[in-house]
Amino acid sequence: MNRIAHFEMQVANTEQTVEFYRNIFGWKIEKHGDLGYWLITTDEEGTGITGGILPSPDGQARVINTIEVDNVDEYLVKITANGGETIYPKMPIPGRGYVAYCQGPEKLIFGIFQRDENAK
């Protein structure tokens, strides 16, 4: 069974959102890279779901769940065969794996993620 491994909050004001969730839930939220992405750790042990906060490309707030899979390429075929579509193709996350973004027939956006520490 595939589990939700990561969530992303796309928002208009990242700094305000970071402070809100830090203050309410005590999450560890750290800036990651230079593109305005904030990485969220939701538990001290690091075994819980992780997340991210990033600027929304269209100013609309949304949450995107990313589901862990064994093979992104195989799941992209399954998604298309079942009426979904790829909206952002497979890309590497260096040292972590590969991710692609899709939507189902109802237009709900979700990600799929394959772990691969050799991804470059």
Side-chain angles (χ1 to χ4, degrees):
M1 187 170 302
N2 302 94
R3 69 180 189 94
I4 294 175
H6 189 78
F7 65 91
E8 291 180 333
M9 296 182 218
Q10 293 184 356
V11 297
N13 186 327
T14 55
E15 285 80 11
Q16 179 182 6
T17 304
V18 165
E19 288 306 310
F20 178 81
Y21 287 97
R22 272 185 185 151
N23 292 337
I24 301 299
F25 298 113
W27 291 346
K28 179 180 171 187
I29 306 175
E30 299 176 307
K31 198 162 200 173
H32 183 73
D34 297 329
L35 300 176
Y37 194 90
W38 296 80
L39 190 60
I40 302 169
T41 304
T42 60
D43 68 336
E44 291 181 16
E45 296 81 31
T47 56
I49 189 170
T50 61
I53 298 172
L54 66 153
S56 174
D58 60 6
Q60 296 297 311
R62 66 179 59 83
V63 174
I64 298 173
N65 291 309
T66 299
I67 302 160
E68 190 169 343
V69 299
D70 293 331
N71 184 302
V72 166
D73 296 317
E74 289 176 9
Y75 274 83
L76 289 174
V77 171
K78 288 181 182 184
I79 289 163
T80 301
N82 285 279
E85 65 180 289
T86 302
I87 59 171
Y88 197 86
K90 178 182 170 182
M91 67 175 184
I93 302 172
R96 302 202 47 143
Y98 298 94
V99 67
Y101 292 92
C102 307
Q103 62 185 15
E106 73 295 326
K107 306 298 182 204
L108 183 65
I109 298 171
F110 63 95
I112 55 175
F113 173 74
Q114 171 188 339
R115 289 187 189 279
D116 185 345
E117 294 171 359
N118 297 313
K120 296 182 186 207

